[in-house]
Amino acid sequence: QGQVVESGGGLVQTGGSLRLSCAASGRTFSNKNMGWFRQAPGKEREFVAAITWSGGSTYYTDSVKGRFTISRDNVKNMVFLQMTSLTPEDTAVYYCAADGTPRRAGITTIRWLYTYWGQGTQVTVSS
């Protein structure tokens, strides 16, 4: 079975930066689009960013555009989320997930189309 493991979360002050990592193993992830989602207390899990299996295209939710950058290294089976200019509104548990459809032509933001969810990593931004 495939699995993904997130890391890199922590406590940071407003305006700070963090780099989240997602290590994928057990299955072929290099042919799958990868996404980052987040879930704040009392809220539904929401889409943050995604990258196509080739790394050629990315997509971001409006609230993080210009601040977050998603990237991947298919040789190392890693996905990254560089987060800058963090605000308390970014506080959440961040999850990495793989699109269930190999080589999907476009990026989907639909949560239930993603499989192989990790356990998440907590990001807390203090004011």
Side-chain angles (χ1 to χ4, degrees):
Q1 292 291 330
Q3 67 172 356
V4 295
V5 179
E6 304 94 338
S7 63
L11 174 64
V12 65
Q13 292 184 333
T14 295
S17 301
L18 283 174
R19 188 193 194 208
L20 305 184
S21 298
C22 170
S25 63
R27 294 185 68 90
T28 300
F29 287 92
S30 59
N31 64 354
K32 295 181 175 63
N33 299 348
M34 298 292 294
W36 284 96
F37 289 74
R38 65 187 180 186
Q39 187 167 16
K43 296 186 178 181
E44 290 191 358
R45 193 170 300 187
E46 65 173 356
F47 171 83
V48 176
I51 187 167
T52 53
W53 59 273
S54 66
S57 294
T58 57
Y59 185 77
Y60 302 89
T61 192
D62 285 346
S63 63
V64 309
K65 284 180 181 177
R67 300 188 300 122
F68 291 10
T69 303
I70 188 171
S71 61
R72 68 188 298 162
D73 182 336
N74 281 345
V75 174
K76 297 181 179 179
N77 282 335
M78 298 286 293
V79 181
F80 306 98
L81 186 67
Q82 179 68 48
M83 305 186 297
T84 64
S85 301
L86 288 163
T87 74
E89 288 68 37
D90 296 314
T91 294
V93 177
Y94 283 71
Y95 297 90
C96 175
D99 190 324
T101 299
R103 295 189 172 88
R104 188 188 298 276
I107 287 173
T108 179
T109 63
I110 300 174
R111 188 177 66 200
W112 53 88
L113 294 181
Y114 285 81
T115 57
Y116 304 109
W117 292 84
Q119 294 300 306
T121 185
Q122 176 71 48
V123 171
T124 303
V125 185
S126 63
S127 57

